[in-house]
């Protein structure tokens, strides 16, 4: 949540930062409430760390690529987790 709020806040758009905070707080509660999403949370956190490392290292191209890779990977992981969750319930 902090990661996404910080990115949203960096735009200077206070409403967007609030919206993102509320959205990701709810998403986080949902993901943490089920053991089926433990891998999702772990993998997404790893992807975020990669992005931050590139930003700190002042490598915007690598950061942009890490964001792209993170989104693609997160999309697949989340879809797979929901598919597994649907089979269980």
């Amino acid at each position: 949540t902090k990661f996404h709020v910080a990115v949203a806040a960096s735009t200077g758009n206070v409403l967007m930062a609030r919206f993102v905070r509320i959205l990701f707080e709810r998403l986080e509660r949902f993901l943490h409430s089920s053991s089926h999403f433990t891998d999702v949370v772990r993998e997404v956190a790893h992807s975020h760390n990669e992005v931050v490392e590139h930003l700190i290292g002042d490598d915007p191209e690598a950061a942009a690529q890490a964001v792209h890779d993170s989104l693609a990977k997160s999309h697949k992981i989340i879809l797979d987790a929901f598919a597994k969750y649907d089979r269980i319930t």
Side-chain angles (χ1 to χ4, degrees), residues 42-56:
R42 188 179 313 116
E43 189 62 40
V44 169
H46 175 73
S47 295
H48 289 160
N49 289 338
E50 256 188 273
V51 172
V52 171
E53 286 174 15
H54 291 304
L55 291 172
I56 291 170

Side-chain angles (χ1 to χ4, degrees), residues 1-5 9-10 16-18 25 27 34 37 40 46 52 61 67 70 75 77-78 82 87-89:
T1 300
K2 289 179 184 178
F3 175 84
H4 295 99
V5 173
S10 73
M16 178 59 76
R18 282 187 195 154
E25 283 174 353
L27 177 61
S34 173
F37 297 102
V40 173
H46 175 73
V52 171
E61 290 83 17
V67 168
S70 175
H75 183 254
I77 289 169
I78 290 169
F82 274 110
R87 286 193 302 271
I88 294 169
T89 57

Side-chain angles (χ1 to χ4, degrees), residues 7-28:
V7 171
S10 73
T11 68
N13 186 329
V14 176
L15 291 176
M16 178 59 76
R18 282 187 195 154
F19 172 76
V20 168
R21 180 182 50 80
I22 292 166
L23 176 68
F24 278 91
E25 283 174 353
R26 290 179 184 207
L27 177 61
E28 218 171 63

